[in-house]
Amino acid sequence: MANLKRTAIWITLLAIFLKASGFIRESITSTVFGVSHETDGYVYAFSLITLVVAMISGGFNNVFLPLYTKRRKEKSDAAEKDANGIMNGTVLLFLLVSVIGYFVIPYIIPYITPASMNIAAQKVAIKTMQIFFIAITFVALNGILDSYLQARRSFVPSQIAKILATMMGALFAILFHKQMGIYSLAIGFVVGTIMGVIVQFFYLQKSNFRWMPALKVEKDFRKTFLVLIIPSLLNSVVGQFNMFVNKTFAAGTGDGGTTYLDKASLLVSIPNTIYATTIVVIIFTLLSEQVDDKKKFQDTMHMGMMISLVTLLPMSVGLLLLGKEAIAFIYQHGLFTATDTENTYIAMVLYLPMIIAQGLQFIVSKSMYARGKTATVFRISITTVVLNFVLNWLIVDSLGYKGLAVTSSVVAIYFLVVSAIVMYRDFDKSESKRLIQMFILVIPPTLLMALPVYALKAYTPLGNLPAIIQLALFGALGAVLYIIGLKYFYKEAYAKLMSLVRRKKAAA
């Protein structure tokens, strides 16, 4: 368990640094390119890459990692041959996808984007996607190598690879934006991705992995892999597919809509990106170990739900109070104006319910995966695709890009509620009461945090201080007030958080 916690700490720190790197890139992008048809087209095209990353890092990893790990324990040499066969076959498949995609995408984009999408944005999207298709094999290989390294308990190289892709995009934007324009971001991403492949392959070779030019995979291993990979891939891309649909609708709402949504969603994703990384390592592991002990399983799930709520709710309220200052500090430079900050803030506020809903959904979904309810999660996920499309179609014309943020929040809440109903149906009735009580108990500490910060910000000169000072001052004050509120109004949550902090310090 100590090793598990140490791993969680390192992964969390790397996830924070990766997120910070992403904001450095976005800050540079905002300064150099502002909000325009170019940025709309680039953001739309980049959603293609996030779709592929989700497929490989989620869908491929969820199937390959346990199969490969089990195979290594049984027949080490055979496992390496099968692993090479899977890797080489996947790379060849994506090479074919790369060639076909490069030549076909100019004909597809006009049919899947709204008729109202600006022609300039459409041209940028096509050319950017072609650049990404050139590199899509390396993107896939990055994800595969990540799985191989995880099987050897090596987590740092994959994080370094992700950071390289992010930072090289920012570096190329600084150095080559005059020569390459918005495409400097995509080319930088490609260069960083290739560097990431080299780093991961180097560390994989150090772990005694040897590449072989093999395509043959043992029959039972291949059959099991193919049976499981299709539903796993579909499960992993549902969220990204919904996002791609949203960006398709956003592309037709007018100048800047896609960019405003993208920058707002990046801020909203911070809590869950960091928090979910730790949960993957600890909570999901505990749930998997306790699946046969109903009482322990229920207690662990309640602990996960409680920690999610008491950490993500104040973060959501904090972004509501200080989100405009955060956006101004990160983005409002150069061509990104105060008007752009205001429009991004509106989208971010409408996205805020997603922080809590997705955080809690993460626990519910992992609980369902631990109990083997993968098919149930997939069926619910499919209904979110339908709901997302219908809601976008109904409200995007009247609300514009803001309607897409509303749709995302509604779909996230729907996904959580339906999944929780299905999950808690198998639990003791007392668990539902504990869940409701949890929501009630977290309200007083949140109000104790929010009301003083709002009053000081709105009615004193402190609200006129520079954005970075307000973020530091009010952020620290809010954190202290919230912890005090937990101590007096929600003692169980306070004790659990303090226990986790002490354990992490001990593990470090």
Side-chain angles (χ1 to χ4, degrees):
M1 182 62 76
N3 288 335
L4 191 63
K5 289 171 182 173
R6 279 195 293 270
T7 300
I9 292 169
W10 278 110
I11 295 175
T12 302
L13 292 174
L14 288 169
I16 292 171
F17 184 73
L18 176 60
K19 206 64 185 175
S21 302
F23 279 112
I24 292 172
R25 180 196 62 198
E26 291 304 313
S27 180
I28 293 169
T29 303
S30 301
T31 302
V32 175
F33 301 109
V35 177
S36 62
H37 299 308
E38 284 187 321
T39 56
D40 277 358
Y42 172 79
V43 168
Y44 182 75
F46 196 73
S47 59
L48 170 72
I49 287 298
T50 58
L51 195 67
V52 175
V53 170
M55 287 176 63
I56 299 299
S57 62
F60 181 90
N61 185 275
N62 287 342
V63 172
F64 176 78
L65 184 59
L67 288 178
Y68 177 50
T69 303
K70 181 180 179 182
R71 185 75 165 158
R72 285 184 71 202
K73 291 178 180 179
E74 296 172 350
K75 299 178 181 178
S76 179
D77 292 339
E80 300 307 321
K81 290 180 181 178
D82 290 337
N84 272 279
I86 294 290
M87 177 195 290
N88 297 337
T90 306
V91 168
L92 288 176
L93 175 63
F94 273 94
L95 280 172
L96 181 63
V97 171
S98 176
V99 174
I100 295 173
Y102 181 88
F103 291 104
V104 171
I105 203 66
Y107 301 99
I108 294 177
I109 289 295
Y111 289 100
I112 64 175
T113 53
S116 55
M117 184 178 184
N118 184 275
I119 297 299
Q122 192 177 96
K123 288 181 178 178
V124 170
I126 290 172
K127 189 170 180 179
T128 304
M129 280 193 178
Q130 286 182 310
I131 295 171
F132 285 148
F133 265 113
I134 293 173
I136 205 167
T137 304
F138 293 101
V139 174
L141 185 55
N142 245 334
I144 295 169
L145 293 175
D146 185 11
S147 295
Y148 285 41
L149 286 163
Q150 282 187 46
R152 288 165 163 75
R153 292 180 174 255
S154 179
F155 302 97
V156 174
S158 63
Q159 293 293 333
I160 293 174
K162 294 170 186 174
I163 291 169
L164 282 171
T166 301
M167 294 303 293
M168 289 305 293
L171 183 61
F172 268 59
I174 295 174
L175 298 177
F176 305 116
H177 68 274
K178 291 183 179 179
Q179 297 89 344
M180 302 177 183
I182 193 75
Y183 306 113
S184 59
L185 284 164
I187 294 171
F189 174 84
V190 171
V191 172
T193 299
I194 294 172
M195 292 171 65
V197 168
I198 295 171
V199 168
Q200 290 201 93
F201 200 79
F202 172 76
Y203 277 95
L204 190 60
Q205 292 288 94
K206 286 185 67 175
S207 68
N208 296 322
F209 178 87
R210 293 293 176 264
W211 179 80
M212 294 175 279
L215 287 174
K216 187 177 180 180
V217 179
E218 194 269 330
K219 184 178 179 181
D220 289 340
F221 188 92
R222 182 179 68 247
K223 183 179 178 180
T224 305
F225 179 81
L226 292 176
V227 167
L228 295 175
I229 192 66
I230 295 175
S232 182
L233 289 175
L234 292 174
N235 254 337
S236 67
V237 300
V238 166
Q240 294 300 329
F241 182 79
N242 281 338
M243 187 182 297
F244 187 78
V245 170
N246 286 357
K247 288 180 179 179
T248 300
F249 276 96
T253 62
D255 293 350
T258 306
T259 304
Y260 295 142
L261 290 171
D262 183 64
K263 295 189 181 303
S265 65
L266 284 171
L267 270 172
V268 170
S269 69
I270 294 175
N272 280 320
T273 299
I274 297 170
Y275 182 70
T277 304
T278 307
I279 289 297
V280 168
V281 179
I282 297 177
I283 300 294
F284 185 40
T285 302
L286 293 174
L287 288 170
S288 299
E289 293 171 353
Q290 298 165 357
V291 68
D292 294 325
D293 189 326
K294 186 176 181 181
K295 182 65 169 63
K296 285 187 177 181
F297 188 90
Q298 290 177 168
D299 287 342
T300 300
M301 181 170 173
H302 178 73
M303 179 185 71
M305 296 288 276
M306 180 176 64
I307 295 173
S308 295
L309 186 62
V310 300
T311 54
L312 297 179
L313 180 59
M315 290 181 185
S316 303
V317 175
L319 282 175
L320 176 65
L321 296 171
L322 300 172
K324 192 176 294 185
E325 286 72 25
I327 293 168
F329 174 67
I330 296 169
Y331 301 127
Q332 195 175 310
H333 315 283
L335 297 178
F336 198 92
T337 66
T339 301
D340 296 326
T341 293
E342 181 66 29
N343 290 335
T344 303
Y345 175 71
I346 293 171
M348 188 205 70
V349 169
L350 297 173
Y351 270 139
L352 288 180
M354 287 177 58
I355 295 179
I356 303 166
Q358 288 184 343
L360 296 175
Q361 174 62 39
F362 190 84
I363 301 296
V364 176
S365 293
K366 289 300 181 183
S367 300
M368 296 175 81
Y369 284 132
R371 300 185 71 187
K373 293 180 179 261
T374 305
T376 303
V377 177
F378 177 64
R379 285 196 293 270
I380 299 172
S381 299
I382 290 299
T383 65
T384 69
V385 175
V386 177
L387 178 63
N388 185 61
F389 183 85
V390 171
L391 288 177
N392 283 339
W393 182 70
L394 289 175
I395 70 175
V396 73
D397 286 340
S398 57
L399 295 180
Y401 77 92
K402 303 178 191 69
L404 296 165
V406 172
T407 297
S408 297
S409 293
V410 171
V411 170
I413 293 170
Y414 161 81
F415 195 13
L416 170 63
V417 170
V418 174
S419 300
I421 290 173
V422 172
M423 191 67 201
Y424 275 83
R425 201 162 49 197
D426 297 334
F427 285 179
D428 297 335
K429 291 183 178 180
S430 59
E431 292 303 307
S432 299
K433 294 179 180 178
R434 276 212 295 177
L435 183 66
I436 296 171
Q437 185 182 40
M438 178 183 72
F439 278 92
I440 295 172
L441 290 173
V442 80
I443 293 174
T446 305
L447 291 176
L448 181 64
M449 173 198 76
L451 294 179
V453 171
Y454 173 78
L456 290 171
K457 189 172 182 293
Y459 301 111
T460 72
L462 295 176
N464 298 321
L465 293 173
I468 183 62
I469 296 178
Q470 288 194 56
L471 287 170
L473 177 63
F474 293 131
L477 175 63
V480 170
L481 291 174
Y482 184 72
I483 291 172
I484 293 172
L486 279 181
K487 184 175 181 180
Y488 287 99
F489 295 107
Y490 198 175
K491 294 181 180 179
E492 180 190 1
Y494 175 80
K496 182 59 65 177
L497 286 175
M498 292 301 101
S499 173
L500 288 175
V501 170
R502 285 192 291 268
R503 287 177 183 175
K504 282 189 175 185
K505 286 182 178 179

